[in-house]
Amino acid sequence: MDHEQAISAQANLAGRSSGQVKRSGCSQNRLHTQKALMEFLLLGKVDS
Amino acid sequence: MGTARHFLQLKDFTLAELEHLFERTIELKARQRQGRLYQPLTGRTLAMIFEKNSTRTRVSFEAGMAQLGGNAMFLSTRDTQLGRGEPIEDVAEVISRMVDLVMIRTFEQNIVERFAAHSRVPVINGLTDEYHPCQILADVFTYIEQRGAIRGKTVAWVGDSNNVCNTWLQAARIFDFNFHVSTPPGYELEAARGEGFRSMHLECFKDPHAAVAQADLVTTDVWTSMGFEDEAEERKRKFAEYRVDADMMRLAKPDALFMHCLPAHRGEEVEAAVIDGPQSIVWEEAENRLHTQKALMEFLLLGKVES
C-alpha cells in the first residue's frame, strides 16, 4: 500500500469509528481527515 | 440550530445561573491561586473571532482556556471576515463543526445573533456595539467579592451610554439594584438598546454629581468607544463635565468603589487620583475577567458543576 492509499484508508477508518459523522459535510470532514493525516505522518499506521 | 446555550446578552442567563457562575468563579479563582490544576476541558477548542482590537478579552479567554486544559484559536479579520465575502451563517456552520466553543468580538449585535442561530456549539459575545456581557459578569462579581450582595445598592454610570452601560442596565434588572446614569445631552441611553428603559431600576440624571450622590459604586468608560474615533475631538468637548474626579467621588458613599473596564484615559473620563486611588478596584475587576469567563466556559461546555 503506498502512502496515498494508506492515508485514504486511515481517513475512512477514523470517520467510521468516530460515529460523529452522520452528515457528509465536506467542511467538517476536512477536520477529521486531516487529523488522520497528521496522525499517520507523525505516528505511522495506528491500529484502530 | 441545535440546543447549544449561548451567552449573547447578560439576560440570556437567569439570576440562579449567574449566581452559580459566581460560585464557580470563587472556586476556580482559589484553585488557580493555589496552583491546583483543574483541566476538565482537555481536548476542547475555543475559536476566538476578533473583528475589533482587544487586550483583556484575548488574554483572559486564551489563558482561561489553557488553564482549563483546552486550546484557544485566535482568528482576526485577516483570517475571517464575518459577512464580508462569506455569509455569517455559512461561517457559523463550518467553524462550529470543528470547534467546541466560539467567542466573537465584533460590531453589530446582529452579527453574533446570526452566528449563534447557525452554530452547533455555544457562542459567547466578547463585545458588540450594543452589549458587553462578559465585562459586566466580571464587574458584578467583583463588586460582590469586595462588598457582598449588590441587591438594593446603587451603581452610578457617568459618561457615554455605550455597550457597557447598556449591559449594566440589564444587570440592574437581574440583580435588583439601582442604576443611575448621567450622560451629556445627545448621548443618552437609547430606549431601543437599553432594554428596561422604563425600568424602576433606572434613573437618568442631567447632573453627574446628582447621579453619583450616595452611590455604592461609580463607574465610567472611555468617551470614545471603538468605532466612533472620528468623533473623538467633539466628544472631548461635550464630555468635559462628565469626568469622574475626586470631588465627584466624595459625593458617593464613603466606602464607595470605582470601576473602569479599561483601557482608561487618565485626565479624560477619569482623573488619575481616582483610578489610581484607594477606592479603585480596576485591577481586581480586570483579573476577574479571567476567572468569571472560566466559569462561563465550564458552564457552557459541561453544564452545572458542583463545587
Side-chain angles (χ1 to χ4, degrees), chain B residues 132-198:
Chain B
H132 198 355
C134 290
Q135 183 65 56
I136 302 307
L137 192 64
D139 289 4
V140 174
F141 175 80
T142 305
Y143 182 85
I144 295 170
E145 183 181 47
Q146 299 282 329
R147 291 285 187 267
I150 197 168
R151 184 169 187 225
K153 298 291 171 62
T154 297
V155 176
W157 175 274
V158 176
D160 190 19
S161 63
N162 62 8
N163 45 11
V164 182
C165 179
N166 290 337
T167 315
W168 267 114
L169 179 54
Q170 289 192 353
R173 298 184 77 195
I174 297 168
F175 291 97
D176 192 20
F177 59 82
N178 308 305
F179 188 44
H180 291 183
V181 178
S182 184
T183 62
Y187 296 88
E188 294 90 352
L189 264 174
E190 290 177 30
R193 284 188 183 175
E195 185 166 326
F197 190 67
R198 293 183 186 81

Side-chain angles (χ1 to χ4, degrees), chain B residues 183-214:
Chain B
T183 62
Y187 296 88
E188 294 90 352
L189 264 174
E190 290 177 30
R193 284 188 183 175
E195 185 166 326
F197 190 67
R198 293 183 186 81
S199 163
M200 57 181 280
H201 297 94
L202 172 67
E203 197 171 347
C204 297
F205 296 81
K206 286 183 180 170
D207 178 3
H209 298 89
V212 165
Q214 290 303 304

Side-chain angles (χ1 to χ4, degrees), chain B residues 72-85:
Chain B
M73 178 191 300
F74 175 77
L75 299 166
S76 72
T77 49
R78 293 173 63 177
D79 308 299
T80 180
Q81 290 195 306
L82 296 176
R84 292 183 289 280

Side-chain angles (χ1 to χ4, degrees), chain B residues 236-284:
Chain B
K236 275 184 190 174
R237 287 193 303 277
K238 291 184 173 173
F239 282 76
E241 301 300 315
Y242 293 79
R243 175 177 303 116
V244 178
D245 57 18
D247 287 341
M248 196 182 283
M249 283 300 293
R250 272 192 282 275
L251 298 171
K253 285 185 180 162
D255 67 343
L257 298 170
F258 173 79
M259 283 193 199
H260 189 306
C261 63
L262 307 175
H265 296 165
R266 289 169 176 77
E268 291 188 20
E269 75 276 5
V270 61
E271 194 178 61
V274 172
I275 194 169
D276 299 320
Q279 290 171 287
S280 172
I281 50 167
V282 296
W283 311 127
E284 289 81 1

